[in-house]
Amino acid sequence: MDNGDIESNSDDNLRAPIGRKYRPVVDNDSAVLEMKVNATSQENIDEVVDEEANRPQRDSKLELFGFDSLVNILGLKSMTEEQSVEPSSPRDGENISITQGRPKTSELKLGTLMGVFVPCLQNILGIIYYIRFSWIVGMAGIWESLLVVAFCGSCTFLTGISLSAIATNGAMKGGGPYYLIGRALGPEVGVSIGLCFFLGNAVAGSLYVLGAVETFLKAVPAAGIFRETITRVNGTVVPEPIQSPSSHDLQIYGIVVTILLCFIVFGGVKMINRVAPAFLIPVLFSLFCIFIGIAVAKKDHPSPGITGLSLTSFKENWGPDYQNTNNAGIPDPDGDVSWNFNAMVGLFFPAVTGIMAGSNRSASLKDTQRSIPIGTLAATLTTTAMYVVSVLLFGALATREKLLTDRLLTATVAWPFPAIIYIGIILSTLGAALQSLTGAPRLLAAIANDDILPVLNYFKVVEGKEPYIATLFTAFLCIGCVVIGNLDLITPTITMFFLLCYAGVNLSCFLLDLLDAPSWRPRWKFHHWSLSLLGAFLCIVIMFLISWSFTVVSLALASLIYYYVSIKGKAGDWGDGFKSAYFQLALRSLRSLGANQVHPKNWYPIPLIFCRPWGKLPENVPCHPKLADFANCMKKKGRGMSIFVSILDGDYHECAEDAKEATKQLATYIDYKRCEGVAEIVVAPNMSEGFRGIVQTMGLGNLKPNIVVMRYPEIWRRENLTEIPATFVGIISDCIVANKAVVIVKGLDEWPNEYQRQYGTIDLYWIVRDGGLMLLLSQLLLTKESFESCKIQVFCIAEEDNDAEALKADVKKFLYDLRMQAEVIVINMKSWDGQTEGGAQQDESIGAYNGAQQRIATYMEDMKSRAEKEGTQLMADGKPVVVDEHQVEKFLYTTLKLNSTILRYSRMAAVVLVSLPPPPVNHPAYLYMEYMDLLVENVQRLLIIRGYRRDVVTLFT
């Protein structure tokens, strides 16, 4: 049955029987506009397909397979030397080809040494080693310092293993760890951790700047603007004045240096990337000078406290000696800062960060699958080994007093002179600061370019352009941290953000490895989900060891960003691990549910919304605009799933593409109405066959739909659509056979949306036992804002010989046990004949009753005359029928009295619920439609409900 068979172009075809006009969806409605955009996009795609089809075809031996070459089969455009366009972040509904996400080719390709190892080494070896590491050895002692190094090194090494596994599972785009975490854990987690990692990099830039400035002021004390601080050494009889740079000098010089670095960054990142490896040469040379100086140091060293490599010093420095210090780290009994093992971990951890530097350059690597694992892990192991050796050497080199008071012990012992250390420190820190001011803006720009968070649109950049706005924002953050001026207060903040990022990388690998989806095929084989889980656990433990307050703040910040992204962010489908987890969880849950009967306590309505209209809808509107509003009313607090289905008449081979486009339009409508559900379009020769297939096959196990919802065909007689009765009755009969509940909505045009508050009552005409479905639906209506001001009235229709008072008492007790507040009214059928005082509603019902009698009589005469002419028995809808005229009169009279009762008691009700009578056996569908029309006559908003052979409510807890 085509739409054209049941639809009319008349302007009045959507008017209600009482004269109310249906308010159609206008052309400028947002849902219609969105659907038109989708339709336009599909038209453009279809034009391209048509152009491809019109191209001349060449002979091919692979014609049997339907493709002309292997290139077309796999979609590998690179095999034909065609350039593929780098895609933006994929969105729901877009087709993602196998070529998308492949990095663009560039002229400069780096190997493992210069592309990964050197950048990681440069970022790991920084200011902490030069001016804090010997102090950590003096404060924590040798064995606890070794424990600190092993603890932090194990964390970064396990993170490097997880990073290697994820990075070798496919091509990488810009964004570094944000890209990896976002594609593994989803856009919400990726953006939240990515922004925290951005803050960590921005704050790290200030750390490097302050380190360079402090080193410069130490080397050139005369450059200080303000008077230097004089601090006495703890525990000495004749204290030696120890000078520390003024915090104001650190602030002023730090701001100036940050601005200068910002100008350099604006001058060109290509130049920075070319010069950056050269910054490593002074660092390596300075390290060489330090180790040579330690080896040649003697007890008669010019600087007091330098003992050379001494076993005595080693023994004295073996254990910890935690003391109070001032803000500059100088021991002071009255100092405000106290230190312990946890604080040492927080202070040292920035010295092992920087393992992401290689992954950030993935686009410039010749072989990312090989370079990232080898380069990252080699840099991690090299620096960790160097730290372990340095702990042993520093512990045996000087007294504890010298370790705690000489903040630049590395320069003191350097051979041949200290100046080389100052130069090395300044160049390394400035180079690391340049890397931070270069990498952090690109990370922010990568997050903005993914178009997940609209508030970050200001930081978007065109591919190949410099992120100037993001760079300025990063510089402001860096300057704000420089103003703090205290290095020891900044490092715990950096530690939290980096640990949060590393935990995200480990959790990403853990999830992907545990789920083991078919797409998870990393080339790096030396990984296991247990190692990733251990790495994530170490990250969390270190966070709490350092500072539980900083940990709570950082986790709260990430959670707030996550919540904000989930509320305000745009949808993105990156094939993340959570989707695999949901799939596995759904399969496991489906198996655990089995096919057994669902207990009433666990019963949820799963409505099958039948969208096929009994009338004409506005153009580009795939479903009645109020169907989704009604579907939302069947859910408690949005919990539940709706399945919106429609039937496209025709041949499947010819209409498959039309069905896909219709599914997209219907899905867009569901999203616009904010209704949780899925859209399905089925192609079938006619509506009856299509629905019969849907009701049998839709769903899996106990997740099959249990309620069929459809609109009452109010226009069938007005438009003289004689085929509707047979289809409508067939659908109801199919639902009864398939044991599906049925909810038929009359007056859907007038159904309120979530903002239209209703008053009055929700009236239930409870005629037959339906498993409590009618009662449950009334309760679900009360949970919605539009109906929360209403009260429930239950009208029990009793047989003539029933005791009305006993029935009322039983129903009240039943409702009380169900925790339902409702007024119970019992109407006995024997009182129907005495309702002559009904007045206007009685006259309205009588008029409809007489009209139905006349139409049925005419229909029966026509059917009998046709049977006599053909010499056959009575036939209707292609089936033999047996009509008992006395039974027809009885049915008409019953519906007459019920309609009169509804009009008498419920004319002002917000909504009326009444039991659906099943189609009588061997009666024509036309007669059943007459019964139904008489039942719903002049009722504005009516739900006709039939339950199924299962209870949906229970009295027991």
Side-chain angles (χ1 to χ4, degrees), residues 652-673:
Y652 176 71
H653 291 197
E654 298 177 356
C655 303
E657 294 300 324
D658 295 337
K660 292 179 181 178
E661 179 61 27
T663 303
K664 291 182 180 179
Q665 290 188 357
L666 186 55
T668 303
Y669 159 78
I670 297 172
D671 292 338
Y672 168 71
K673 300 298 287 186

Side-chain angles (χ1 to χ4, degrees), residues 20-46:
R20 295 192 183 185
K21 188 174 182 180
Y22 165 63
R23 297 187 297 275
V25 178
V26 296
D27 290 339
N28 60 356
D29 190 282
S30 58
V32 175
L33 293 176
E34 190 172 359
M35 295 171 191
K36 287 183 177 180
V37 170
N38 291 340
T40 304
S41 301
Q42 184 63 32
E43 289 176 0
N44 296 335
I45 295 174
D46 293 339

Side-chain angles (χ1 to χ4, degrees), residues 425-495:
I425 294 175
I426 294 173
L427 289 179
S428 65
T429 51
L430 289 180
L434 276 177
Q435 292 291 340
S436 297
L437 290 176
T438 304
R442 270 146 191 78
L443 175 60
L444 183 60
I447 300 175
N449 285 341
D450 274 340
D451 201 22
I452 296 296
L453 208 56
V455 73
L456 299 179
N457 288 342
Y458 300 103
F459 304 111
K460 283 185 176 180
V461 292
V462 180
E463 187 176 0
K465 300 295 183 179
E466 297 294 330
Y468 295 116
I469 299 178
T471 303
L472 282 176
F473 182 70
T474 306
F476 280 124
L477 288 179
C478 187
I479 290 175
C481 294
V482 166
V483 170
I484 297 176
N486 192 334
L487 202 63
D488 296 331
L489 292 179
I490 294 177
T491 49
T493 308
I494 301 173
T495 302

